[in-house]
Amino acid sequence: MKLSQFKFKLPEELVALYPPHRAFKNEDGTVDRIYNRDQCRLMVLHRKSEKIELFKKDADGNDTEEYLTFRDIVNYFDEGDTFIFNDTKVFPARLYGTKEKTDAKIEVFLLRELNEELRLWDVLVEPARKIRIGNKLFFDGDGPMVAEVIDNTTSRGRTLRFLYDCDHDEFKHELYSLGEAPLPRYIVERRATEPDDMENFQTIFAKNEGAVTAPSTGLHFSKQLMKIMEIKGFNFAYLTVHCSLGCFDQIEVEDLSKHKMNSEQMVINADCCNIVNEAKARNSKICAVGVSVARATETSVGTDGLLKEYEGWTNKFLFPPYDFGLANSMIANFYHPESTMMMATAAFGGYDLTIEAYKLALKHKYQFGCFGDAILMLDD
């Protein structure tokens, strides 16, 4: 499979900058928004029959002119069917500081803590050309937060040692108070961050901290929708994949088999395995909610088709053709051209049918990206 097979023109107006919402303009010109996580549009792709649904049905089973919304997803599952969610928790990873002497503004993107005692962090800096070993960065806030550059790791990567004398919990609290939601670059280049972003860029079931970008498909699930799913008898299983920026890395090879994904840390515990494997035993639907879940389950599924406990890292790269060993349904967003997430979607839905779905999404002006519309892929 070739990179160029996933190329298409995505109009800028189809990139969602906010979650689904209703906007109200105030007299002073400001805008208030009421967000509705589960009210994005939903497209349904049927792998075997090769049918694609966009619209709600009337009493006679004919298409109406009303688009399916994400909340309609409950109509495609039965009691006992199981959804696998990624319960990673996003932390406020994007900070802004100033370089000593020059006062140049520097973006610092926290990736992961390397050493708790020494306050060492793996970060990305922008503009990187200005930041060298030995430089000090100063951050505004209630306390005197300072960081020293002690190593270069990649062209933009640095290791920082934060110079802050307090216990670790206080340090993390102060550090995170300086940060903001780590929205994707394609959003922050088009609008300023806002107070609601940290909540909107977090799933309602987020639990285990460690992600620097959200498992975006999970963002569509609201408390109300989860309650409806619970009443209908659906089962929920949770695993953890700490989503990194690797999914946004530009692929630089035409032959996809030569692309190497960055590794992400993941944990699948016994409870998750038991819930999923019981569903497998009774031939219920098993739905992977998002690309991160699909990558994790395909990393840990055994040759017997059962999910195994796992704690470690995965660099699984899903692209077509690929035979999935566990999930028989999957939910994804509509993603940017030539992205690894689009390729994973096509791996599950089938290349030709997925490309047809993307063409329909463009024609009907679906929204793309982490806050965009969703596609449900079923094995029927």
Side-chain angles (χ1 to χ4, degrees):
M1 194 56 91
K2 305 298 183 183
L3 174 65
S4 55
Q5 291 176 268
F6 294 89
K7 186 175 183 178
F8 64 92
K9 184 177 180 180
L10 178 60
E12 187 171 333
E13 65 269 17
L14 297 188
V15 178
L17 302 183
Y18 296 92
H21 64 276
R22 288 181 295 160
F24 303 91
K25 193 169 185 178
N26 300 315
E27 292 182 358
D28 61 2
T30 59
V31 177
D32 289 329
R33 297 180 181 85
I34 297 178
Y35 296 101
N36 299 285
R37 287 176 181 261
D38 57 22
Q39 290 303 304
C40 72
R41 279 194 278 179
L42 177 71
M43 189 182 294
V44 181
L45 181 155
H46 301 268
R47 295 199 298 183
K48 291 181 179 177
S49 63
E50 297 187 348
K51 294 180 180 178
I52 299 176
E53 294 182 61
L54 284 73
F55 301 99
K56 296 178 186 287
K57 305 286 187 183
D58 61 20
D60 297 321
N62 300 314
D63 282 348
T64 66
E65 295 182 353
E66 185 180 359
Y67 286 101
L68 291 165
T69 65
F70 194 78
R71 190 171 285 199
D72 292 314
I73 204 166
V74 299
N75 299 324
Y76 294 89
F77 292 88
D78 300 309
E79 183 177 354
D81 290 343
T82 296
F83 290 76
I84 311 175
F85 298 99
N86 182 3
D87 66 3
T88 188
K89 186 176 182 179
V90 179
F91 62 92
R94 181 174 281 116
L95 288 69
Y96 293 94
T98 55
K99 184 182 174 184
E100 64 176 341
K101 298 180 181 178
T102 66
D103 285 337
K105 186 177 181 180
I106 305 296
E107 177 185 303
V108 174
F109 196 99
L110 303 173
L111 296 177
R112 63 190 179 98
E113 190 172 34
L114 300 174
N115 186 295
E116 181 177 311
E117 183 178 355
L118 297 177
R119 310 283 198 265
L120 298 183
W121 278 77
D122 185 19
V123 308
L124 299 175
V125 294
E126 187 71 36
R129 68 183 184 277
K130 295 184 178 182
I131 304 301
R132 298 180 174 87
I133 294 174
N135 289 157
K136 285 188 172 64
L137 302 175
F138 296 84
F139 301 89
D140 295 327
D142 295 334
M145 185 72 74
V146 181
E148 180 182 10
V149 182
I150 65 170
D151 194 16
N152 295 335
T153 53
T154 64
S155 59
R156 293 177 56 217
R158 303 290 186 271
T159 300
L160 297 187
R161 179 171 60 222
F162 285 90
L163 310 174
Y164 199 81
D165 187 18
C166 63
D167 64 54
H168 185 258
D169 288 343
E170 182 182 341
F171 161 71
K172 288 284 286 290
H173 176 77
E174 178 64 25
L175 181 65
Y176 286 178
S177 72
L178 299 171
E180 60 184 38
L183 297 176
R185 180 67 59 184
Y186 64 81
I187 292 180
V188 297
E189 287 178 348
R190 291 172 171 83
R191 70 165 176 87
T193 54
E194 299 178 7
D196 290 335
D197 285 335
M198 197 64 224
E199 179 180 355
N200 288 335
F201 202 52
Q202 194 83 268
T203 64
I204 63 167
F205 41 79
K207 180 180 178 182
N208 297 307
E209 182 182 278
V212 295
T213 189
S216 57
T217 304
L219 297 177
H220 299 304
F221 289 84
S222 65
K223 291 180 180 179
Q224 294 84 355
L225 176 57
M226 296 285 278
K227 190 63 179 178
I228 293 171
M229 295 169 69
E230 182 181 340
I231 292 171
K232 284 182 170 287
F234 303 160
N235 296 315
F236 304 150
Y238 297 92
L239 53 76
T240 303
V241 182
H242 293 315
C243 302
S244 72
L245 298 183
C247 56
F248 296 109
D249 286 347
Q250 184 175 351
I251 298 179
E252 298 179 347
V253 291
E254 176 68 3
D255 182 352
L256 295 183
S257 67
K258 292 180 168 53
H259 176 66
K260 303 299 180 185
M261 288 283 291
N262 283 343
S263 294
E264 294 178 329
Q265 191 174 12
M266 57 172 277
V267 178
I268 300 178
N269 61 29
D271 286 344
C272 179
C273 292
N274 291 337
I275 294 169
V276 171
N277 291 335
E278 287 173 6
K280 186 95 173 181
R282 59 178 179 266
N283 293 319
S284 296
K285 288 191 183 76
I286 298 173
C287 184
V289 178
V291 170
S292 63
V293 170
R295 292 180 65 222
T297 55
E298 288 305 300
T299 297
S300 60
V301 66
T303 55
D304 57 1
L306 298 179
L307 191 63
K308 312 296 183 182
E309 292 182 58
Y310 188 98
E311 184 170 358
W313 298 76
T314 180
N315 62 352
K316 192 78 173 178
F317 177 31
L318 301 174
F319 63 94
Y322 184 88
D323 292 325
F324 280 73
L326 184 76
N328 50 27
S329 57
M330 178 178 170
I331 313 170
N333 281 23
F334 286 97
Y335 299 108
H336 283 67
E338 298 183 317
S339 64
T340 61
M341 293 89 74
M342 179 188 179
M343 293 164 190
T345 305
F348 192 91
Y351 175 78
D352 291 337
L353 197 57
T354 301
I355 293 301
E356 179 62 26
Y358 267 67
K359 289 179 180 178
L360 287 170
L362 292 170
K363 178 182 178 180
H364 289 265
K365 300 188 183 305
Y366 279 59
Q367 293 286 288
F368 285 66
C370 66
F371 290 141
D373 294 317
I375 180 169
L376 167 65
M377 295 169 283
L378 299 170
D379 196 23
D380 59 11

